[in-house]
Amino acid sequence: MKPFFKISLMCMDFLNIAAQIEVLNEEFDGYHMDIMDGHFCKNITLSPDIVKAIGAIAKKPMDIHLMTTTPNDWIDSCAAAGAQIISPHAETINSDAFRIINKIKGKGCKAGVTLNPATPLTYCREYLGKIDYLTIMTVDVGFAGQPFIPEMLDKIREAKKFREMNNLNFKIMIDGSCNKNTFGKLHLAGADGYVLGSSGLFSLDPDLRKACKKAKEIFMEETGVKL
C-alpha cells in the first residue's frame, strides 16, 4: 500500500488559508480537520463552518476528526459541510458505536474511529470490520507540538496483525508527531498514513511549497519508500 499523507489544518497559517490550500491541493492526499468542543479535550479549533469554507477550494478529501464528547451532534453538520470522512473517538461512541458508524456511512461518508494513547485496541475490536480508517493517536489529544509516545508502536503492530489475521481492510493512520524522528519507526510498525502538522510540515520552511518538498524527502530518507 502506498503511504498517504493528510495535512492537519489546525497547524496552518490562518491568515493565509486560501494560499496554503492552493499549494496543498497539489502536494498531498487530503486534509485532517480537528473539531474540538472544549470538553472532550481542553481546546477549540476548527468548526463545520470552516470545513464548508475550505471545502469550496479544497481538491482533496476532508477527514474530520471529532474530538467531541457527543459526536452524534456533529455528524450531520460536518457531512453537510462537505466532509468525505468522519472519525469520532472510540471513547465517545462505545454505547452506540454501530449506530454512529452506520449514520456516518448513511451520509455518504467513509467512517473512521480514533483511539487515544491510553485506550487499547480491544476497545474497538468488535467494529473494526465496519470502518475505513483506524487513527491511532501517538500524542495526547488537544494540542499540537507534543512529544511522541513510543508505547504506541506496539498498538500499531497489534492493529496491523489483527487486520491481517481477520482479513480486514481498514487503513492505519497515525496522528501526532509524525516527522523525521518517527517516520521510520511508524513505517516499520505498520502505519499506512500520516497526519502532518507543525513538526512534520509547517515548520520545515517558511515557503510552504518548499516545506512540502522537504517533508517528502525526509519521509523517503527515513523509510526507504519512494513516493
Side-chain angles (χ1 to χ4, degrees):
M1 181 185 299
K2 182 182 178 182
F4 62 89
F5 302 89
K6 298 185 179 183
I7 307 308
S8 177
L9 296 191
M10 70 175 282
C11 300
M12 72 189 311
D13 179 357
F14 283 91
L15 295 180
N16 295 289
I17 291 177
Q20 292 195 352
I21 294 295
E22 183 178 352
V23 172
L24 295 171
N25 278 334
E26 302 174 8
E27 298 289 347
F28 292 107
D29 304 296
Y31 298 107
H32 183 87
M33 307 180 75
D34 294 302
I35 293 182
M36 307 179 190
D37 61 3
H39 185 265
F40 180 73
C41 59
K42 298 300 181 181
N43 196 4
I44 295 176
T45 51
L46 309 182
S47 71
D49 286 338
I50 294 177
V51 173
K52 183 177 180 179
I54 291 176
I57 56 174
K59 296 180 180 179
K60 299 293 175 66
M62 296 186 294
D63 184 347
I64 310 304
H65 177 188
L66 289 178
M67 285 182 265
T68 58
T69 300
T70 55
N72 189 51
D73 294 342
W74 299 84
I75 293 170
D76 289 339
S77 57
C78 287
Q84 285 87 8
I85 306 159
I86 299 178
S87 299
H89 268 260
E91 298 87 1
T92 67
I93 67 170
N94 268 18
S95 64
D96 55 357
F98 289 87
R99 188 160 58 243
I100 290 289
I101 291 168
N102 289 336
K103 180 175 181 177
I104 291 170
K105 291 190 173 185
K107 294 293 180 179
C109 300
K110 292 184 177 180
V113 68
T114 304
L115 292 176
N116 272 332
T119 305
L121 184 68
T122 53
Y123 204 72
C124 62
R125 180 178 57 195
E126 281 70 20
Y127 51 84
L128 286 174
K130 294 184 65 67
I131 65 171
D132 301 288
Y133 293 91
L134 171 66
T135 299
I136 295 176
M137 297 296 301
T138 50
V139 301
D140 286 327
V141 296
F143 298 91
Q146 297 183 74
F148 180 76
I149 301 172
E151 289 83 358
M152 295 305 98
L153 295 171
D154 283 339
K155 188 186 292 185
I156 298 167
R157 296 185 190 102
E158 182 185 2
K160 181 181 179 182
K161 182 178 180 180
F162 185 88
R163 180 177 65 184
E164 292 172 349
M165 290 179 61
N166 293 278
N167 196 29
L168 301 179
N169 297 310
F170 63 86
K171 296 178 176 67
I172 301 170
M173 185 165 68
I174 309 305
D175 185 4
S177 197
C178 294
N179 55 42
K180 178 180 176 62
N181 297 324
T182 61
F183 282 144
K185 299 172 186 177
L186 292 170
H187 171 67
L188 289 175
D192 302 309
Y194 307 81
V195 176
L196 301 184
S198 299
S199 63
L201 176 64
F202 291 103
S203 67
L204 299 180
D205 196 286
D207 183 323
L208 184 56
R209 199 172 296 276
K210 291 180 180 178
C212 292
K213 183 174 183 292
K214 289 181 180 179
K216 293 175 184 177
E217 289 174 346
I218 290 170
F219 181 83
M220 289 190 286
E221 289 171 1
E222 296 300 321
T223 63
V225 175
K226 187 174 181 180
L227 299 177

